[in-house]
Amino acid sequence: MIDPIALASLAVKSIFVENILLAYFLGMCSFLACSKKVETATGLGVAVVFVLAVTAPLNWALNEFLLKDTGLLGVDLQFLSFIVFIATIAATVQLVEMVLDRFSPALYNALGIFLPLIAVNCSILGTSLFMQEREYGFVETCVFGASSGVGWALAIISMAAIRYKLRYSNVPEGLRGLGITMLVTGLMSVAFMAFAGIKL
Amino acid sequence: MSSPATEMAPEKAPLFPFDKKTRRIVTDPLSDNNPVTVQVLGICSALAVTVRVDKALVMAAAVIAVVSLSNVVISLLRNKIPPSIRIIVQLSVIASLVIVVDQFLKAYMYGLSKELSVFIGLIITNCILMGRAEAFAMANPPWQSLLDGLGNGLGYGAVLVAIAIGRELLGSGSLLGFQLVPEAAYAAGYVNMGLMVLPPGAFILLGLLIWAQRSWTGYTEEA
């Protein structure tokens, strides 16, 4: 029933082939705002992986046991899923912030400023909504959540490295900043599409 | 635009003013302060739904409706919301409105709502909504907030439709489903640009659009 090869294939698919940023455009706002420095990008990337790995299974459980008509309440409440998911995400982010502050001040200082940003990062809500739409099981959801985060982190860290190099190039005036970043993202997206042929 | 504001100093402030200054609230976000190309907000959904013009139009309408209404609601509540929990209040107002829009689309445009899939839900995390709620609606009366929401929604929609026109025309040779590139052109060897239908096409077109818009308005960014 749980096929390790199928799970590995799902992981590769969500990291490379269907990268949540480069194929679904999710999480673009923070991607554009925080990709100027590699350190910042790494911090945000790690925070996104962490929050995704926690919220995706949590929202799966809420969807399965509370919102579906086969759940505990026996009523179809799936139209409420947007508000339930976003509340879970906001609460988780707040909770993670407090736990980190208490138990790991070093990590908190590294991630601290990024955590509130993540509550409104589309890739977090998007992953939960994709999970619901594609009807993943629990293990699949865990794998999908974590590897979507890894894919996002990979994209933002490589973007930061490219932008670092871009500082030394002579970009036309109107294209500076956002414009050239979008073009580079386009080229990165082309590169990631090359993974589409990989099948496990 | 050309007619000057006739009542320069009204006795008491009108309930629904529409003078020059108020009009700026609507016209500013259309070009000089466009939420997508200048403020860099709401890019996510700006790209995902632009493969076809009809999807872009529905998405633009949904965002215009949600951003105007959420601005009005938040502006009405602005003096009652405690500052410490304002984010969660704003999020719940927005999420409720998005649920209404989603149910409406499911009822009247089922096919399109299936195709837009998760992106209607993702209006909640569209930074334009939170941005306008936080920056404008929390500090201004409802009427101005409504206009601000309309202006930003329209500015967002304009970019969305512009990209969609480019992608559909170049990628499928049609607009709103009507074939525009004649059969003769295909017979003569014209090929649709497959890249435009794929995600990279959206990134590249938006990059070029930003370039064009910024060269026109003369806005430049550091580094």
Side-chain angles (χ1 to χ4, degrees), chain B residues 8 16 19 38 41 43 53 59 65-66 87-88 113 126 131 133 137 139 144 161 168 170 172 184 187 200 215:
Chain B
M8 282 311 285
F16 300 113
D19 51 30
V38 178
L41 296 174
I43 304 265
V53 178
M59 186 70 182
V66 175
I87 305 267
I88 197 93
S113 94
N126 189 323
Q144 274 86 341
V161 171
E168 191 174 348
L170 294 172
S172 328
S215 320

Side-chain angles (χ1 to χ4, degrees), chain B residues 86-172:
Chain B
R86 66 182 194 286
I87 305 267
I88 197 93
V89 173
Q90 290 164 2
L91 268 181
S92 15
V93 169
I94 294 167
S96 320
L97 286 166
V98 171
I99 290 177
V100 173
V101 168
D102 183 53
Q103 295 294 313
F104 180 86
L105 286 179
K106 274 192 182 137
Y108 294 102
M109 298 174 166
Y110 189 72
L112 263 177
S113 94
K114 268 274 162 272
E115 280 185 55
L116 288 170
S117 76
V118 303
F119 291 102
I120 289 291
L122 287 172
I123 296 178
I124 299 173
T125 50
N126 189 323
C127 331
I128 295 177
L129 285 134
M130 284 293 279
R132 289 338 285 172
E134 184 76 9
F136 199 92
M138 287 300 280
N140 287 285
W143 170 246
Q144 274 86 341
S145 303
L146 174 71
L147 292 179
D148 177 76
L150 270 179
N152 278 283
L154 287 172
Y156 169 86
V159 175
L160 216 63
V161 171
I163 300 173
I165 288 177
R167 282 183 82 185
E168 191 174 348
L169 197 59
L170 294 172
S172 328

Side-chain angles (χ1 to χ4, degrees), chain A residues 22-26 28-29 32 79 82 120 122 126 129 133 173-178 182-183 185-186 189-190 193, chain B residues 37 40 44 47-48 99 102-103 117-119 121-122 124-125 127 198-200 203-204 206-207 210-211 214 220-221:
Chain A
L22 298 168
Y24 289 109
F25 313 101
L26 300 181
M28 282 301 291
C29 305
L32 293 170
F79 66 95
F82 294 161
V120 286
C122 345
L129 291 174
E133 191 184 88
E173 225 162 65
L175 202 54
R176 260 176 227 165
L178 184 59
M182 293 308 299
L183 292 187
T185 316
S189 168
V190 174
M193 283 181 64
Chain B
T37 59
V40 206
C44 326
L47 298 172
I99 290 177
D102 183 53
Q103 295 294 313
S117 76
V118 303
F119 291 102
L122 287 172
I124 299 173
T125 50
C127 331
L198 299 170
F203 286 118
I204 292 170
L206 180 62
I210 290 167
W211 189 9
R214 286 186 174 182
T220 47
E221 203 176 319

Side-chain angles (χ1 to χ4, degrees), chain A residues 11 14 19 37 40 49 70 116 126 141-142 173 181 190 194 200:
Chain A
S14 32
N19 186 295
K37 274 194 193 152
T40 332
V49 176
T70 50
T141 302
C142 295
E173 225 162 65
T181 313
V190 174
L200 284 181

